[in-house]
Amino acid sequence: MNAAPCPTPAVAADVAVFTVLDDALQVLLVRVRRGAFAGRFALPGGRVRTDESLDAAAARLLAERTGLRDVYLEQLYTFGHPERDPHGRVVSVAYVALIPHGGRFRTADGDGGAGFADVHWRPVAALPPLAYDHETVVATALARIRAKLGYTNLVYTLLPPAFTLGELQAMYEAVLGRRLDRRNFRKKMLALGLLRPLGRQRRGAHRPAALYGFRHRRPMVVEIL
Amino acid sequence: MNAAPCPTPAVAADVAVFTVLDDALQVLLVRVRRGAFAGRFALPGGRVRTDESLDAAAARLLAERTGLRDVYLEQLYTFGHPERDPHGRVVSVAYVALIPHGGRFRTADGDGGAGFADVHWRPVAALPPLAYDHETVVATALARIRAKLGYTNLVYTLLPPAFTLGELQAMYEAVLGRRLDRRNFRKKMLALGLLRPLGRQRRGAHRPAALYGFRHRRPMVVEIL
DNA sequence: TCAAAAGTGTTGGCATTACACCCATGA
DNA sequence: TCATGGGTGTAATGCCAACACTTTTGA
């Protein structure tokens, strides 16, 4: 257990951040600047410091690369194939993050905000080639969140404080990739008692819809689907 | 990405091996020989080499410490709290292993075999104090396998090639920690079609029981309970 | 008036649960 | 003969999936 001269893999953390945007599940990518994968997209990440926990490293790296803070973060899996990084042996602890798309955050493309450079949303259904083994990481993350939406209340991480049942249903449909029956969905959701009617309405192009919020904004396991 | 002079955590792998023995779920522990935790029990594990994958490291370390080979192994979670090891910063990738208790393997206590020294089965319901954060690791592993037995066919890893429905049910009861209705259990299991009747019987102290085997001995997701 | 989303109940099938008795064997 | 585990069927219940029409609004 002495601090031997270095024959240990480097430790990194990478974060797959998802949101639902334009009715599609999207993942946040950054452009790689240097090295063998320069120009490609990758998940935001970097080295873990020796004095910080893995969770703290993931949160710090995400904030440094994208400005995102206080998001839902959960450890996903650790990828450690010896050849996953051509620059040297790096073991990467991957995290999943989920955020609502509430304009609290602007990317480099499209909405032309004061965002971080070279940070982009890309729909998971049409991913560009990614650096390292990050395509595997995204696939693993997708499987995790699809499964977990089914037995937890994690949708709350994707939604703003007030939303309509239609928007809630659209979240599930975007993440799961299939349509749901509206009547059964509303019945089930309201029966679960996770929602609180806000007594307000959203007016839009059509008939106004009642607004709801979550009673509890913390992870719980509940049979949803 | 240059091989900087060492300011990276060390990387280890630890394995929580479970079996059902005496109708109780048990975990395999080794005695720590040196250092701050000398004398305590810990999970078998050790450093990951720079040229092996994490899965390979877990399998190698398990074989070195306990002689176990070709067991079901799956990555559990990565523990990286800065103070989890008083000797220095070590990030540990934890694995879960499941094995049948078929006498293919002798521990130091009890069955006085030609086993590895200081390797012991201990029931998870009455664990001794463990070194490092290994109590957390065992708790996390327990939650994982309890959940996973419910939606996969992973029991097969705990059973020998031939077994009775009573033994199968006893496995579930030991792992889940609750009793199941025998008739419903048999009905469900036989209906799932995962089992193959072997046409043989086990004779014991009482009425002979039909022997079954698994049709497929590989992980599959199937709604079991 | 039209298009588009919101809102609302009932029914049939399926799966799960609860439950009691006889059987075959070794001791 | 007795104790022990093996083996079997049915009835009630609850859950889920399928399904169509009316309402409200803005354009």
Side-chain angles (χ1 to χ4, degrees):
Chain A
M1 295 287 181
N2 299 330
C6 251
T8 188
V11 179
D14 291 301
V15 186
V17 190
F18 294 93
T19 200
V20 172
L21 171 57
D22 301 331
D23 286 328
L25 188 60
Q26 314 226 6
V27 63
L28 196 62
L29 302 174
V30 300
R31 184 86 65 175
V32 177
R33 306 200 175 205
R34 292 186 302 254
F37 289 111
R40 284 224 196 179
F41 282 115
L43 299 173
R47 290 295 187 87
V48 173
R49 295 187 184 148
T50 55
D51 60 347
E52 68 187 349
S53 71
L54 299 171
D55 292 4
R60 171 183 60 80
L61 288 159
L62 182 60
E64 286 177 5
R65 302 279 186 269
T66 69
L68 285 169
R69 286 167 203 288
D70 301 320
V71 306
Y72 174 79
L73 257 186
E74 101 175 24
Q75 191 188 302
L76 173 65
Y77 195 82
T78 299
F79 297 85
H81 189 85
E83 269 96 49
R84 59 177 293 282
D85 187 334
H87 309 99
R89 180 72 198 280
V90 181
V91 167
S92 166
V93 184
Y95 278 77
V96 175
L98 298 171
I99 67 170
H101 182 73
R104 66 197 263 212
F105 164 69
R106 315 264 90 170
T107 65
D109 30 36
D111 40 13
F116 283 64
D118 265 340
V119 177
H120 308 262
W121 289 114
R122 285 291 175 270
V124 298
L127 279 189
L130 300 184
Y132 314 107
D133 55 359
H134 285 185
E135 294 178 27
T136 308
V137 178
V138 171
T140 308
L142 265 179
R144 165 80 60 97
I145 61 177
R146 286 198 171 123
K148 213 152 174 180
L149 277 204
Y151 64 92
T152 65
N153 66 340
L154 274 194
V155 237
Y156 82 82
T157 60
L158 295 168
L159 285 160
F163 52 88
T164 67
L165 283 176
E167 291 164 347
L168 179 61
Q169 182 174 346
M171 286 294 143
Y172 277 102
E173 292 180 339
V175 175
L176 301 178
R178 62 189 161 95
R179 307 299 305 269
L180 302 171
D181 179 88
R182 186 155 40 100
R183 279 168 294 189
N184 294 334
F185 180 82
R186 299 169 70 90
K187 210 185 315 168
K188 187 71 180 287
M189 274 299 155
L190 293 175
L192 281 172
L194 302 173
L195 303 180
R196 182 182 32 167
L198 300 183
R200 291 180 284 135
Q201 290 195 326
R202 163 155 311 159
R203 309 185 65 80
H206 304 295
R207 174 172 174 176
L211 285 171
Y212 292 85
F214 284 96
R215 255 183 232 287
H216 310 286
R217 287 201 156 246
R218 58 189 158 80
M220 299 189 303
V221 333
V222 182
E223 208 55 51
I224 304 267
L225 312 178
Chain B
M1 293 286 181
N2 298 330
C6 250
T8 186
V11 180
D14 292 301
V15 186
V17 190
F18 294 93
T19 199
V20 173
L21 171 57
D22 302 333
D23 287 328
L25 189 60
Q26 315 226 5
V27 64
L28 196 61
L29 301 175
V30 300
R31 185 85 65 176
V32 176
R33 306 200 175 204
R34 293 187 300 256
F37 289 112
R40 283 225 197 179
F41 282 115
L43 299 173
R47 289 295 186 88
V48 173
R49 294 187 184 148
T50 53
D51 59 347
E52 68 187 349
S53 71
L54 298 172
D55 291 4
R60 171 182 63 79
L61 288 160
L62 183 59
E64 287 177 4
R65 302 278 187 269
T66 70
L68 286 169
R69 284 167 206 289
D70 300 320
V71 305
Y72 173 81
L73 257 187
E74 101 174 25
Q75 190 187 303
L76 173 65
Y77 195 82
T78 299
F79 297 86
H81 189 86
E83 269 96 47
R84 59 177 294 282
D85 186 335
H87 309 100
R89 181 72 198 280
V90 180
V91 167
S92 167
V93 184
Y95 278 75
V96 175
L98 298 171
I99 67 170
H101 182 73
R104 67 198 264 215
F105 165 69
R106 315 265 91 167
T107 65
D109 30 35
D111 40 13
F116 283 63
D118 264 341
V119 178
H120 307 262
W121 288 115
R122 284 291 175 273
V124 298
L127 279 189
L130 301 184
Y132 314 106
D133 54 359
H134 287 185
E135 293 177 29
T136 308
V137 178
V138 172
T140 308
L142 264 178
R144 166 81 60 98
I145 62 178
R146 286 198 170 123
K148 213 153 175 178
L149 278 201
Y151 65 92
T152 65
N153 65 342
L154 273 194
V155 236
Y156 82 83
T157 60
L158 293 168
L159 285 160
F163 52 88
T164 67
L165 282 177
E167 292 166 344
L168 178 61
Q169 183 175 345
M171 285 296 143
Y172 278 101
E173 292 180 340
V175 175
L176 301 179
R178 61 189 161 97
R179 307 301 304 270
L180 303 171
D181 179 87
R182 186 155 41 99
R183 280 167 295 189
N184 295 335
F185 180 82
R186 300 169 70 88
K187 210 185 317 167
K188 186 72 180 285
M189 275 298 154
L190 294 174
L192 281 173
L194 302 174
L195 303 181
R196 182 181 34 165
L198 299 182
R200 291 180 285 135
Q201 291 195 326
R202 162 157 308 159
R203 309 186 65 80
H206 303 296
R207 174 172 175 178
L211 285 172
Y212 292 84
F214 284 96
R215 256 182 232 286
H216 310 285
R217 286 200 157 249
R218 59 190 157 80
M220 298 188 304
V221 334
V222 182
E223 208 54 51
I224 303 267
L225 311 177

